[in-house]
């Protein structure tokens, strides 16, 4: 779709920067861990109609999906695995 193409064009430099720096920073893995740890709260937020938390979770998942699309399209399986095996030094 046209909107998806515009999004990809607007974010490609940010995504490329993350691809470069992520093996050293572990930012993608950290984002995924935070998202997964907070998913338990989503049901409660929906019941309490906490729209802010639901909106934040939606945005985090959207960012993860966009980044994974770039990662998967630009690297081999071995390279991709390096982005999820970050160990803090």
């Amino acid at each position: 779709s046209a909107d998806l193409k515009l999004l990809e064009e607007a974010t490609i430099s940010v995504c490329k920067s993350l691809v470069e720096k992520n093996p050293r920073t572990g930012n993608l893995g950290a984002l995924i861990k935070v998202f997964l740890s907070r998913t338990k709260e989503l049901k409660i937020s929906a019941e309490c109609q906490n729209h802010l938390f639901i909106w934040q979770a939606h945005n985090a998942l959207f960012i993860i999906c966009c980044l994974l699309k770039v990662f998967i399209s630009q690297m081999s399986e071995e390279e991709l695995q390096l982005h999820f095996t970050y160990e803090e030094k």
Side-chain angles (χ1 to χ4, degrees):
S1 82
D3 289 341
L4 182 58
K5 189 71 173 165
L6 287 172
L7 176 67
E8 288 176 2
E9 290 171 1
T11 60
I12 193 68
S13 64
V14 173
C15 291
K16 285 183 179 182
S17 177
L18 185 69
V19 167
E20 260 181 49
K21 297 174 183 174
N22 189 63
R24 292 186 309 276
T25 63
N27 286 331
L28 179 61
L31 176 60
I32 293 170
K33 284 179 186 176
V34 168
F35 175 78
L36 291 175
S37 70
R38 308 256 346 245
T39 56
K40 298 169 190 157
E41 301 167 38
L42 276 174
K43 184 177 180 183
I44 295 167
S45 295
E47 291 169 356
C48 298
Q49 297 185 350
N50 182 347
H51 299 291
L52 180 62
F53 182 77
I54 294 168
W55 175 72
Q56 290 171 339
H58 176 269
N59 287 344
L61 186 57
F62 180 73
I63 292 168
I64 291 167
C65 288
C66 290
L67 292 172
L68 287 177
K69 180 180 178 188
V70 171
F71 277 46
I72 290 168
S73 68
Q74 293 188 359
M75 38 182 99
S76 68
E77 187 176 330
E78 292 81 21
E79 290 173 311
L80 187 60
Q81 185 177 7
L82 291 175
H83 287 270
F84 293 97
T85 56
Y86 170 79
E87 290 184 25
E88 194 171 322
K89 296 177 181 173

